[in-house]
Amino acid sequence: QVQLVESGGGMVQTGGSLRLSCTASKEAYSSYQLAWFRQAPGKEREFVATLKRTGTNTWYRDSVKGRFTVSRDNTKNTVYLQMNSLRPEDTAVYYCAAGNPILSSQRTEGGYRLWGQGTQVTVSS
């Protein structure tokens, strides 16, 4: 019953845009904060962005600030990640995560208990 499903990945040229979606089960969407992580081949999974379950506070890793925007649509139980000005270094599998992190862990994997299967984003040079 509690699940996350990512979509919207694909291949785009440098400078292009993609919008990722994370559709959550009703339980997950109503109970958890949602966040985006990514993992490139051979590298550690890293935090990308998150949006508070209530309110409008957002957090982004430094390398995506000004390019990525996280938002939500409560009528669809969906959180989005709008990615503009994409670069090859953005190439990764992007994961949606859900949990109730404390402030100090909301940018870490340990702050989240539920994960989607991921969606591939490839940015060509």
Side-chain angles (χ1 to χ4, degrees):
Q1 293 184 22
V2 179
Q3 59 182 354
L4 306 173
V5 179
E6 303 99 332
S7 63
M11 182 177 290
V12 66
Q13 294 182 342
T14 297
S17 298
L18 287 171
R19 188 180 74 163
L20 306 184
S21 298
C22 173
T23 299
S25 66
K26 185 177 180 179
E27 286 182 311
Y29 192 85
S30 64
S31 300
Y32 299 118
Q33 178 175 329
L34 301 181
W36 289 97
F37 289 77
R38 67 187 183 187
Q39 187 168 24
K43 295 186 177 181
E44 298 290 326
R45 189 172 298 183
E46 63 184 19
F47 170 79
V48 178
T50 190
L51 174 66
K52 279 290 189 181
R53 185 167 59 86
T54 59
T56 58
N57 289 340
T58 58
W59 293 264
Y60 301 90
R61 71 178 297 106
D62 288 344
S63 63
V64 309
K65 288 180 179 178
R67 300 188 298 121
F68 291 11
T69 303
V70 64
S71 61
R72 65 158 54 92
D73 185 341
N74 291 338
T75 68
K76 299 180 179 179
N77 294 336
T78 298
V79 169
Y80 303 98
L81 184 67
Q82 178 67 47
M83 305 185 295
N84 299 325
S85 302
L86 284 163
R87 306 164 180 169
E89 52 263 42
D90 295 317
T91 295
V93 176
Y94 283 70
Y95 297 91
C96 183
N100 287 311
I102 59 175
L103 183 62
S104 61
S105 63
Q106 65 180 348
R107 298 174 182 82
T108 69
E109 294 182 63
Y112 301 88
R113 63 184 298 172
L114 181 64
W115 295 80
Q117 294 184 337
T119 184
Q120 176 71 48
V121 171
T122 302
V123 184
S124 61
S125 300

